[in-house]
Amino acid sequence: MTTTSHETTPVLRLPGTAALAATVAGGVLAAASAAMSWTWTDAFPGDLTYYGSPAGLQWLALAGGLLTVLLALASRALPGLRRLSPSGSNNGVLFAALGTLAVCWYSVIAITVQLDGLVNLDPGGWVSAVGSLLAVVGALGLPLDRRTAVQQPAVAWWWYLVAAVAAVLRYGLGEGWALNAVPTGVRPIVTENLWFFVALPAGIVGFKLWLLLNAWLRIGRIERPLPAARALPSWAEILVITAVFAVGLGVVEFGISTEYGELFIGFLLLVVFGTAALLSSGVIARLRELTVRHRAVTTGAAFAAAGAFPFTQSGETYVLIGANILIFATVALGLNVVVGLAGLLDLGYVAFLGVGAYAAALVSGSPYSVFRGVHVPFPVAALIGALAALVFGVVIGAPTLRLRGDYLAIVTLGFGEIFRIGMNNLDGKSGPSLTNGPNGIAAIPDVNLFGFDFGQPHDFGPVQLGKFGNYLLLMLVVTAIVVVVFGRVANSRIGRAWVAIREDETAAEAMGINGFRVKLIAFALGATLAGLAGAVQAHVSGAVSPDQYQFAGPVPPNSAFLLAAVILGGMGTISGPLVGAALLFLIPAKLQFLQSYQLLAFGIALILLMRFRPEGLIPNRRQQLEFHEADVPAQGGPVDDALTKAGA
Amino acid sequence: MTTDTAPAPLAEPVLEASGVVMRFGGLTAVNQVDLTVRQGEIVGLIGPNGAGKTTFFNCLTGLYVPTEGTVTYKGRVLPPKPHLVTEAGIARTFQNIRLFSNMTVLENVLVGRHTRTKEGLFSAILRGPGYRRAEQESRERAMELLEFCGLAAKSEHLARNLPYGEQRKLEIARALASEPGLLLLDEPTAGMNPQETRAAEELVFAIRDLGIAVLVIEHDMKFIFNLCDRTAVLVQGQKIVEGDRETVQNDERVVAAYLGEPLEGTTTATEADQ
């Protein structure tokens, strides 16, 4: 593979400081437009009709505009702002401007399309569109890090033919003559999926346009060593970390409590571009240095931010989403022990969550449990759930872990289904009476710990914490346990043995590692952690039934989504599965309007991610090297030296 | 040359293989091989390609269970599992390097210490003082070994990023971490340049000086004869000769096995054997 060379040049040649001026002016305009009316009816969701009071998408425009202005000024090394752009690259400014453009234009177009006509736009809408465009034009005039040449994959001619045929067919289907050629039985399928005949040509043409744009922009990334940070006193560093997590809490809270799909899409656009901007500017690398230095503070701040979330909410809807995200994320972290560390592909992991949930439900005092009279305190129930999952894990693991790779995956897939079907049949008719069959165990009473009833709202000073707020805090404790266990075990004798087994089982055996034994430990530990989370899940949802624990389905957690969360987030890391799980839970929950196409969109997103970032969003440094072996020059200078060292 | 420091030949035997036979179906890969390695000895095992050297090696390390015959280590019959063999005190390297390439150099050596440490899951989670002490000791010991092999400066590098010669050294360091009484090296100089081979020689002598017996498979005759106190020659699964440099070099059967027989059909030693 040839190494690409880079240059630092503007895309558009603008005179003097005009580029910077345009960027700043555009950013200010976009930010200012947030305080204006964008449309004059409240028919568009969020009611963007007020002057002086931003709402919904306008907040996003404000944030994007401000970020653009700040980064643009920081790139000129203005005192006080220098810390915002340690890498000195202007690409961050461009990404921020593009994010603003995406949000503003998306809003304007959505208003125009939904309300049918440009006439629905108020001056604010126009200002935001023009301002964000001006910012992008200005940013393109700044000296940017670019590749000198872009490899251009060709689009074969017959793709255009396919596009043309699809377009003609769409027209013909509308006119009727093409429909007549379709057999009657298939007709409803065709008429219900007319979008396909639009999406296909649009995709092909869009891809070509993207290639042309890419060839014109040639945006690249130059790895520059960051200049040494000016030393801050450690209290100031801790303050910075706290502030960052406070901002993070704000962002996540905004994302979780978006009330309509348009706002969530705008949020996603801004987050993606904003993250790219901060990565390019080097802020994220700088923050990572800080967090590595203050690991305990960082972990504490993260948990404090998560714990503060329910207190910022007035209703319970989004708190429940938060609690479910935590359950899903914790189980994904448990799966990361098995998949990420020990390298065992487990396709039936959700069964362990189910075992924990069922075990806890059976002893919860629910009137539908066969042990009706048994009602143990929650910590005991959680312990029973974890132990039941542990036993189940050992029983399944002992015979199957002698298999390797694909065989293990298939067997675990089978066991996952056996669990679900078994729970369905243990209803007293098809089998012994234990689980109530498909009805499951409902009416699980709320947790009551030392007189604190989790089902009732409680006042904490001025704020009230409702039922799901209580459970979120309880779940947070479980998450903390799992995080501590994962972090400690990963960096220990057993953790190293897991990685060694994953890397080369024969060599690991020759180094004295009992492969079967350590794999069984990984399997059992993963199962136990899932069982623990399951015990909480049973109480949060108030009922357990077999169909909650499927291999795949539109609602997480299920085995496929859990595995996807681990791989999407990054195998072998702690924060990876947590972030991956949060995204995988939020995206389907927020994109309800996609309806039956949710799984399709999900699949496409996964394919794209695996194509462009196979190591996951927050990769383990090792895995990143594994996947991008060819990109790293073999021998060399200071940059390579930094790359060859494994950061944790 | 440090060969002069070889100890008296009749030290205590570390490894005793007697009558080892390994059959795969109808194929007899190793046939009635006896081999003794004594304390502080470096023994070489040579032979043409396909002679059964690596198969014999695998019988010694528990990867294969011999069809017939016994292998004892310090008087105890070897258990049939690789990890138990390592625990008993035999460590090995591989013909094609098998490092844990995405672990750091230090972590590779720490994995080698697996059998000499006992910390389990719960002590790792609880992190009591005992755990910390053991982990600290392990790290110190591992760093000593890296120092010994000349890799200390690269302890935080990923194993995959080391140059070839250093990967070989790391494999040896990893094997030494299991505190073996006998080290088996499978072609330690394959693919090395002369300087690296020279460094490898020094390393093997240094290992012997630690009191560890070494059994080495090699194709590089110069390397073998510089290094080994005794050399055994394996041809078609059978040991045809064993002895010092002169004995082996002057043995007609060895010459025949490597170079072929003389054109004139005089009776060679190999034929006389059969």
Side-chain angles (χ1 to χ4, degrees), chain A residues 488 493 504 510 622 629, chain B residues 86 102 107 119 125 127 160:
Chain A
R488 291 191 160 185
R493 173 173 172 268
D504 186 335
R622 289 174 194 153
E629 203 169 359
Chain B
T86 312
N102 291 311
E107 284 170 328
E119 281 61 46
I125 294 173
R127 301 250 152 149
R160 64 182 314 134

Side-chain angles (χ1 to χ4, degrees), chain A residues 312 417 444 502:
Chain A
T312 64
E417 287 299 282
I444 296 169
R502 189 191 72 201

Side-chain angles (χ1 to χ4, degrees), chain A residues 431-454:
Chain A
S433 172
L434 184 66
T435 64
N436 246 348
N439 296 326
I441 300 167
I444 296 169
D446 281 306
V447 174
N448 194 324
L449 271 184
F450 312 113
F452 185 94
D453 187 350
F454 279 68

Side-chain angles (χ1 to χ4, degrees), chain A residues 34 38 115 127 178 229 240 268 270 404 424 484 489 491 566 613 620:
Chain A
W38 284 16
L115 304 185
V127 170
V240 170
L268 270 190
L270 191 65
R404 288 190 188 187
N424 252 324
V484 167
V489 174
N491 184 23
V566 171
R613 206 173 163 80
N620 186 330

Side-chain angles (χ1 to χ4, degrees), chain B residues 225 231 241-252 254:
Chain B
F225 289 128
T231 305
V241 67
E242 182 183 339
D244 60 10
R245 178 178 184 155
E246 280 72 35
T247 323
V248 173
Q249 274 181 333
N250 297 332
D251 193 287
E252 286 173 22
V254 177

Side-chain angles (χ1 to χ4, degrees), chain B residues 6-17 35-44 72-74 181-183 207-208 211-215 229-230 242:
Chain B
L10 279 175
E12 202 184 323
V14 179
L15 179 88
E16 279 183 302
L35 189 74
T36 305
V37 182
R38 293 171 191 282
Q39 189 87 48
E41 246 187 339
I42 302 178
V43 176
T72 61
Y73 173 76
K74 294 191 173 167
L182 171 68
L183 181 63
I207 290 168
R208 195 260 311 270
I212 299 170
V214 180
L215 175 62
D229 306 316
R230 260 185 313 128
E242 182 183 339

